[in-house]
Amino acid sequence: MKTETDTALRHVSALRRIAASILMLAGLIVGGTAQAVISGTTGVNFDLTAKEGYVSMGDGATVYIWGYALDGGNVQLPGPTLIVTEGETITVTLHNDLAEAVSITFPGQTDVTTTGADSEGYLAGEAAATGGEVTYTFTATRPGTYQYHSGSNVGLQIEMGLSGALIIKPNAMNQAYNHPSTAFHQEYLFFLQELDPHIHTAVEAGLTPNLAERRAQYWLINGRSGPDTFFDDNIPWLPTQPYGAMARTHPNETVLMRVVGAGLDVHSFHTHGANFRVLARDGRMRETIPGVSGADAGLSDFTLTVAPGQTYDATWSWRGEDLGWDIFGHAPGDPCEPSGEECDPASPIYDHGKAIPVWLPEQQFLTFGGFWSGSPFLGQEGALPVGEGGLNLDGGYFYMWHSHIEAELVNFDIAPGGMMTMMIVEAPGVPIP
Amino acid sequence: MKRVYGMAIRMVLASLALMFATGAGADVFVQCPGDTDGDGVIDDFTDPEYLAHPNAVCMSITGGDGFINMADTTVTGGARGRQLYMFGFADVTGVPPLDVIDVGTTAAEFPAPSIVVNEGEELYLTLTNVGMAYRPDLDDPHTVHWHGYADAAPVFDGLPDVSISVHMGGSLTYYYQVRGPGTYMYHCHVEATEHMQMGMLGQLYVKAAQDQLADGTNLNGFIHHDGYQYAYNDGDGSTYYDVDFPIQMSSMDPEFHDASEATQPLPFALMNDTYAMLNGRGYPESINTAELANTENGVVSQQQNALVEANAGEKVLLRISNLSITEYFTLMSPQIPMRVVGVGASQLRGTGGADLSYKTNSVNVGGGQSFDAILDTDDVAPGTYFLYTTNLNFLSNNTEERGGIMTEIVIHP
Ligand SMILES: [Cu+2]
Ligand SMILES: [Cu+2]
């Protein structure tokens, strides 16, 4: 049982944390370096160690985890994103610093050979407790988005954090699969999981938790809960959670979203701004004619329900189409800036010179979001009251991508937080690193 | 308890009235082309603004608080079940601007007033924040999020973090050029976990432009006639329907609502929805076609029901959505199969036009998902059939058995 004082303290720490976050965000998001590529580790030989450590939640709480570390470094949540290329032979060596046997299974990889296992394990050959080692080898046969996770004491070890993403790229550049229907401009990973801190506390104390009583209280994208998802990759104060989840694109470009259901619960992931279209599930294109048609049989939807263990690849594109007003705020005679597209009737963002048909209320009747530029127009800034906005210096259009089970938009008892991040549509010409 | 609330509410109403009467706080401002008196109804069809926007349609809603009752009447023993405090929207289209605050206060509806528009229209949707009269400590803003609106711009997307939201006493008119047909939904996005749990959600769907084709138009061999309706612009009549029914699933945690009413800390971590509903009602109220008034202030706050009725041989479009913020629901039509023709306000077609529609008896609907499913009653004998969730623990109204997400499909001869 928590006392009221505990709750009050949590509130204070969360508020401090959010205040600090906003200050830091100004530097890190706005001038930031949110990558258009997926952070991870490339190569063919990977050296992972299962070990214990701590992660930080969006409300400031610290949670004990087990996770995979790369090259003997920090434990991390999720495990290192392994990025490989189709056709390569991949070797993963697992060392075990934990006090129970661990392993790795690679769902979707068909020819995994295990060498040096200390025990047979449940879903994969194991590295023995405290110092064991095992090596897995497979050929990265089929491009796609996959996950890897422990095959030992799975209910508990997945909850504790022993999982990660495996991305197999085709030989073609900027395509998810070997078909032009899967081409993209930017790609982002959305590794969805949740955790119940009571289980982690029990494990740290050496107790045996009751998994049947599991009830998640933190909901994560790429190992972080909101608002930490907004921060860059590799920020120094989250050393065990190196992956951010902010995403960026431009109008009419195509984003590849690689979504992994990595926890023990189902999640409904809603994309504000536009529908996505599914390209593939579990690394297999949705095709009407296998091997020929490309990804032509995927659904368009605004919410993706992802079950544990599933992966989805989908494309998403914001076109600013047919809104009935000029998103650049031009008057009829204005030049066609910034891209020229808005004066071309063939372009989706064609609405040149049309004003927004309604007045926006005076400031005294409005509350302003931190990511509101002060202007309804793309790439522009508007007047804001002192202390409002400030996190959107390029005038981008921000869209929240989040769990539409809104009970998951909290960090323990503190809202908002949880499984949320932002997709930013930047004005044409704004560089995306 | 009730008396104290009653006193408090009167004081708040008095102070609100005073505040707005002196012009200090209120600016109800309904924007609608061709509306000369600000009530959200187009009355001058020669107005230049209207002539510039001849496809305009207008709606005026308020965001505030109110009450509903659950369907567990065998538990309460009264005409209505357990009363829940809620936040919600109310329809004030046609109400003069000076009366909007008065009419909208403590008048929240569940689900929110339905928004039904035609492709090609321009929707001017005005939201006025009337405040939460039973929670004078709160000064929360509200928004409308048209869930699924393609290519939304943040200014009209209703996400407070990235946009603007409207304070108590103010109005914000959202403008939408209405495009893709299909089943959407809408909700407030301010403090979404709280405001959605509290009830700020409703139905929104767009009817296809193909409905308006000239009589006799040949759609790839399918001849269109006046009055024919389609879920999508299918080009071949494959999504034709005779009647449509929105079926929105939702759920509420009574402890959360009671905590809110009593100004207690909100149990986010312990949130546990035990009233599951269709169109704002648990069974058997889901099949009661009467509009229902709440037991607190008599406002008719549950106007919708979920009874599905058709004549044998008709095609029935179910516009299924889920806005529960805690639950996934599988919705089952055990006797009459459903042909799913759309999800996420998109026809089930591949990028090359392949038909991806399918027949099923059940759909799994996550939070924020929608399905367009057509019941073909050609071979169905007249009678009463069921539509319910196979998450059978939700066939209850909290502690009352035989309730929750269940309704009837009545096929007339
Ligand atoms: Cu609200
Ligand atoms: Cu939504």
Side-chain angles (χ1 to χ4, degrees), chain A residues 203-228:
Chain A
V203 170
E204 184 177 15
L207 305 172
T208 303
N210 183 353
L211 283 173
E213 287 175 6
R214 176 181 186 272
R215 184 184 161 103
Q217 302 291 7
Y218 291 108
W219 291 274
L220 317 177
I221 305 176
N222 299 348
R224 299 182 187 175
S225 57
D228 293 345

Side-chain angles (χ1 to χ4, degrees), chain A residues 142-161:
Chain A
R142 289 183 298 112
T145 304
Y146 303 93
Q147 62 170 312
Y148 66 90
H149 60 79
S150 178
S152 308
N153 193 9
V154 281
L156 181 65
Q157 291 197 4
I158 301 306
E159 165 68 33
M160 292 304 291

Side-chain angles (χ1 to χ4, degrees), chain A residues 156-428:
Chain A
L156 181 65
Q157 291 197 4
I158 301 306
E159 165 68 33
M160 292 304 291
L162 287 163
S163 64
L166 166 67
I167 293 171
I168 302 178
K169 299 195 155 222
N171 286 302
M173 287 288 285
N174 296 322
Q175 283 180 200
Y177 293 87
N178 283 310
H179 194 278
S181 60
T182 65
F184 61 85
H185 294 90
Q186 297 91 19
E187 63 174 321
Y188 299 100
L189 176 68
F190 302 93
F191 191 89
L192 310 180
Q193 67 190 128
E194 71 292 321
L195 57 86
D196 177 352
H198 301 102
I199 292 176
H200 296 247
T201 309
V203 170
E204 184 177 15
L207 305 172
T208 303
N210 183 353
L211 283 173
E213 287 175 6
R214 176 181 186 272
R215 184 184 161 103
Q217 302 291 7
Y218 291 108
W219 291 274
L220 317 177
I221 305 176
N222 299 348
R224 299 182 187 175
S225 57
D228 293 345
T229 47
F230 300 161
F231 296 128
D232 274 350
D233 296 342
N234 302 312
I235 46 172
W237 66 92
L238 294 173
T240 55
Q241 294 149 282
Y243 305 139
M246 287 287 265
R248 286 180 167 184
T249 187
H250 294 117
N252 296 316
E253 290 180 347
T254 300
V255 171
L256 171 66
M257 39 193 292
R258 298 181 181 271
V259 187
V260 180
L264 301 174
D265 295 341
V266 185
H267 299 288
S268 289
F269 195 57
H270 173 50
T271 56
H272 273 244
N275 277 28
F276 53 85
R277 188 173 281 274
V278 170
L279 298 179
R281 180 167 140 191
D282 297 343
R284 296 190 188 269
M285 270 192 285
R286 308 295 271 189
E287 306 166 284
T288 54
I289 308 169
V292 177
S293 63
D296 66 343
L299 312 179
S300 166
D301 207 335
F302 41 60
T303 306
L304 183 64
T305 291
V306 188
Q310 289 182 333
T311 69
Y312 283 91
D313 297 306
T315 51
W316 183 90
S317 185
W318 188 90
R319 295 158 62 81
E321 192 160 32
D322 219 5
L323 289 172
W325 52 277
D326 186 332
I327 56 170
F328 301 108
H330 294 146
D334 286 354
C336 301
E337 296 169 337
S339 67
E341 272 190 273
E342 64 275 20
C343 297
D344 172 7
S347 162
I349 56 177
Y350 169 75
D351 259 319
H352 188 64
K354 283 195 201 168
I356 296 180
V358 292
W359 299 100
L360 299 181
E362 291 167 46
Q363 288 190 350
Q364 70 194 96
F365 293 110
L366 295 177
T367 303
F368 303 90
F371 296 106
W372 173 244
S373 69
S375 166
F377 304 118
L378 183 59
Q380 296 186 26
E381 302 291 322
L384 278 165
V386 175
E388 304 288 352
L391 302 177
N392 180 6
L393 299 182
D394 289 322
Y397 278 4
F398 279 59
Y399 298 98
M400 190 184 279
W401 287 16
H402 63 90
S403 170
H404 215 284
I405 294 294
E406 276 81 2
E408 301 178 348
L409 298 186
V410 303
N411 298 317
F412 209 85
D413 245 353
I414 314 289
M419 190 174 280
M420 59 151 80
T421 188
M422 295 285 178
M423 165 61 73
I424 313 168
V425 176
E426 298 284 15

Side-chain angles (χ1 to χ4, degrees), chain B residues 61-412:
Chain B
I61 60 175
T62 54
D65 61 355
F67 291 86
I68 48 175
N69 291 80
M70 299 295 96
D72 47 355
T73 51
T74 63
V75 175
T76 61
R80 301 293 326 262
R82 179 165 171 175
Q83 175 182 303
L84 292 187
Y85 176 62
M86 68 169 293
F87 301 166
F89 299 103
D91 190 359
V92 289
T93 310
V95 174
L98 282 176
D99 299 336
V100 161
I101 300 279
D102 208 24
V103 172
T105 297
T106 67
E109 299 167 23
F110 189 69
S114 292
I115 298 175
V116 184
V117 282
N118 295 302
E119 190 178 354
E121 290 176 341
E122 294 172 72
L123 173 62
Y124 292 72
L125 175 67
T126 300
L127 169 66
T128 301
N129 184 343
V130 299
M132 263 81 91
Y134 279 75
R135 286 293 307 274
D137 59 307
L138 292 181
D139 60 353
D140 291 22
H142 295 297
T143 64
V144 169
H145 169 55
W146 175 330
H147 176 110
Y149 185 84
D151 299 332
V155 63
F156 299 133
D157 195 38
L159 184 73
D161 320 60
V162 309
S163 184
I164 48 178
S165 23
V166 66
H167 270 320
M168 265 167 68
S171 303
L172 171 56
T173 299
Y174 293 83
Y175 171 80
Y176 310 97
Q177 191 143 282
V178 180
R179 295 156 303 157
T183 302
Y184 301 83
M185 55 205 93
Y186 81 101
H187 54 87
C188 177
H189 222 301
V190 174
E191 295 165 38
T193 314
E194 178 185 352
H195 286 211
M196 291 176 69
Q197 167 64 243
M198 290 302 290
M200 303 196 79
L201 36 103
Q203 330 243 19
L204 194 167
Y205 53 95
V206 175
K207 307 193 84 170
Q210 191 172 295
D211 296 359
Q212 310 299 332
L213 288 176
D215 190 80
T217 304
N218 187 331
L219 291 169
N220 244 322
F222 180 95
I223 307 302
H224 171 82
H225 290 294
D226 285 346
Y228 280 20
Q229 303 175 87
Y230 311 88
Y232 290 94
N233 297 310
D234 52 46
D236 58 9
S238 57
T239 66
Y240 169 91
Y241 66 87
D242 295 287
V243 283
D244 61 338
F245 293 89
I247 297 287
Q248 187 166 82
M249 296 180 276
S250 61
S251 58
M252 286 182 175
D253 172 2
E255 304 306 326
F256 193 99
H257 289 245
D258 287 356
S260 176
E261 182 177 12
T263 322
Q264 293 299 308
L266 300 173
F268 287 108
L270 297 175
M271 192 179 283
N272 182 25
D273 288 11
T274 54
Y275 288 104
M277 291 169 272
L278 290 173
N279 299 349
R281 298 181 183 195
Y283 185 83
E285 287 185 346
S286 54
I287 59 167
N288 178 352
T289 55
E291 299 186 342
L292 298 174
N294 72 56
T295 47
E296 174 74 15
N297 58 9
V299 168
V300 179
S301 53
Q302 285 157 288
Q303 304 188 5
Q304 301 185 30
N305 62 75
L307 181 64
V308 177
E309 284 185 284
N311 298 316
E314 286 185 334
K315 289 192 163 55
V316 183
L317 172 63
L318 301 181
R319 301 179 175 276
I320 300 164
S321 61
N322 179 7
L323 272 176
S324 168
I325 68 160
T326 64
E327 305 302 327
Y328 301 80
F329 292 116
T330 295
L331 190 67
M332 164 73 80
S333 170
Q335 290 99 353
I336 311 176
M338 305 185 270
R339 189 161 54 87
V340 179
V341 299
V343 297
S346 302
Q347 191 180 357
L348 275 175
R349 286 218 172 129
T351 50
D355 178 13
L356 304 177
S357 69
Y358 58 93
K359 248 187 181 181
T360 179
N361 285 90
S362 66
V363 287
N364 310 311
V365 194
Q369 284 197 290
S370 73
F371 287 75
D372 293 300
I374 294 176
L375 304 173
D376 187 344
T377 64
D378 258 344
D379 302 321
V380 176
T384 298
Y385 301 87
F386 294 110
L387 183 69
Y388 61 90
T389 183
T390 46
N391 302 70
L392 299 172
N393 51 322
F394 288 104
L395 285 184
S396 60
N397 303 313
N398 196 17
T399 58
E400 180 189 72
E401 284 290 345
R402 299 183 174 213
I405 291 188
M406 152 75 84
T407 189
E408 294 175 3
I409 302 170
V410 179
I411 304 298
H412 299 292

